[in-house]
Amino acid sequence: MTTAAATTIKARQRPGDRIFSSATVISGSLILAMLAAVAIFLLVESLPAFVAGPDDFSGDVTNFWSYVGPLVFGTIYSAVLALLMAVPVALGIALFISHFAPRKLAQGLGYLIDLLAAVPSVVFGLWGIGVLAPLVQPFYTTIVDWFGWFTPLAGPASGTGRTIFTVSIVLAVMILPIITAICREIFLQTPLLHEEAALALGATRWEMIRMAVLPFGLPGIISASMLGLGRALGETMAVAMVLSPSPEVIFQLLTAQNSNTIAANIALNFPEAHGVGVNILLATGLVLFIVTLLVNMLARVIINSRKAFSGAN
C-alpha cells in the first residue's frame, strides 16, 4: 500500500472510529497521569518525614527508616506466607474445575469462587478474629510444644490466636478467589490439540497436565500470584482487626507480639495523627507504593523470560 493510499484511507476514517481511537488514547494517558499524580503527592507529602527527629516518633524509634523497617518486614512476611498457602490450593481448585469436575459441578464451583471474591474484607476480619483465631489457638500451643526449637515456631504461643500466622491464613483465603479464577481461565485456554497429543502418546491425565497445561499456563499462574500478592500487601481492615501489632521485627509466627503491616498501621494511627505524624504515615504509604511497584516489575520480568511458553506462541 502506497503512502498516498494510506493517507486517503486515514482521511476517510469514520467519525466513530476517530472518537473510539481518541477515547482509548485518553484512557491510557489518564491511567499514567493518575499514577504519576499519586506518586508525586506521596513523595511531596513524605519529605518532612525523612528529616523528622526522634521527638516526632513514639517509643525508641529515632528516625523514619527505623520506624518503617519493621512495617515493611511485617507487610512482606505476612503476604508471602499467604501466597505460599494460597497458590497450591488455588492451582488444585483451578485444575479440578477445568479438567476433572463434571460440567455442572465445575460451573457451580466457579460461581462460588467468584462469589467469595466479592466478600468485603471486614467480613474476613470478623471471621478471623471471632472464629479462626479461637479455633487455631490450641493447635498453636501444640506446635510450640513440639517444634519450639525452630525459630519461626518458637513460643510462647499466643493465648488469643491473634498472630501473624492467623493473619496470613485470612489473607490466603482472601486472595484465593483471585488466583483461582485467573488460573482457571488460563487452563481452559490450553490448546486442545496439545492435550490430545499428550494423551495419544500414552500420557496419563496428570502427565498431560504436567507436560501441556502447566507449561502453557505458567505466565498466567505468575500473573495471578503477583496479583494476589499485591492484594495481600495492601490489605488493611482484616489485618488491623486480627493482628496484635508490635513495632519490632519478629520472626516468630505464633506469639502474641507480631510485626505490623504498613496498611494496617496507617489505618490504626491515621485518625489520631497530626502534624508531622501525618507525613510519616504518608511516607510509609510511599514505601508500600514502591514495594508494590517492584513486585509488579518483578512479575513482568519473570513473564517476559517465559514468553516461549505463552499462549501467543
Side-chain angles (χ1 to χ4, degrees):
M1 182 181 295
T2 63
T3 304
T7 304
T8 302
I9 294 175
K10 185 176 181 179
R12 294 177 181 177
Q13 196 176 32
R14 295 179 180 179
D17 294 334
R18 290 196 297 269
I19 293 174
F20 179 76
S21 177
S22 301
T24 55
V25 172
I26 293 174
S27 299
S29 302
L30 185 61
I31 292 296
L32 295 177
M34 292 175 60
L35 185 64
V38 171
I40 293 172
F41 166 76
L42 290 175
L43 181 61
V44 172
E45 293 294 329
S46 301
L47 293 178
F50 297 144
V51 295
D55 296 336
D56 297 316
F57 299 93
S58 58
D60 298 330
V61 179
T62 58
N63 56 66
F64 173 75
W65 301 112
S66 60
Y67 174 78
V68 77
L71 298 177
V72 173
F73 171 80
T75 301
I76 297 176
Y77 199 29
S78 59
V80 170
L81 287 172
L83 194 67
L84 292 176
M85 288 185 277
V87 170
V89 178
L91 289 177
I93 296 174
L95 287 172
F96 177 74
I97 293 175
S98 61
H99 288 82
F100 291 94
R103 182 177 298 273
K104 291 186 178 180
L105 178 59
Q107 291 178 347
L109 288 176
Y111 294 147
L112 288 177
I113 292 297
D114 296 337
L115 180 63
L116 189 62
V119 177
S121 59
V122 66
V123 175
F124 284 107
L126 291 172
W127 170 74
I129 194 174
V131 178
L132 182 62
L135 182 66
V136 298
Q137 195 279 327
F139 294 97
Y140 289 168
T141 303
T142 303
I143 291 174
V144 169
D145 291 339
W146 289 1
F147 304 103
W149 50 267
F150 184 50
T151 301
L153 302 180
S158 170
T160 61
R162 297 175 58 184
T163 68
I164 196 168
F165 192 76
T166 304
V167 168
S168 299
I169 297 175
V170 174
L171 291 177
V173 175
M174 294 181 67
I175 66 178
L176 185 65
I178 301 174
I179 303 175
T180 302
I182 297 176
C183 291
R184 177 192 64 198
E185 297 302 322
I186 293 296
F187 295 156
L188 289 173
Q189 294 177 17
T190 304
L192 187 61
L193 183 62
H194 294 183
E195 298 182 3
E196 292 178 344
L199 294 174
L201 291 173
T204 63
R205 180 71 65 88
W206 160 242
E207 290 172 338
M208 178 270 293
I209 291 175
R210 180 170 57 85
M211 293 187 298
V213 178
L214 293 181
F216 176 86
L218 185 58
I221 295 172
I222 297 173
S223 298
S225 301
M226 293 302 103
L227 189 62
L229 180 61
R231 169 72 189 276
L233 288 172
E235 178 53 41
T236 304
M237 286 306 302
V239 178
M241 295 173 67
V242 176
L243 191 65
S244 296
S246 175
E248 304 174 23
V249 174
I250 301 175
F251 287 91
Q252 286 78 11
L253 298 173
L254 309 179
T255 58
Q257 297 297 316
N258 308 270
S259 298
N260 203 357
T261 67
I262 294 177
N265 182 70
I266 294 174
L268 293 174
N269 293 312
F270 199 86
E272 300 177 359
H274 57 87
V276 180
V278 175
N279 300 105
I280 292 174
L281 294 178
L282 290 175
T284 61
L286 175 64
V287 174
L288 179 60
F289 181 85
I290 295 174
V291 170
T292 306
L293 185 62
L294 292 176
V295 167
N296 291 329
M297 293 173 61
L298 177 62
R300 182 56 54 189
V301 170
I302 296 175
I303 292 172
N304 288 338
S305 67
R306 303 292 299 183
K307 276 186 176 180
F309 299 96
S310 68
N313 297 308

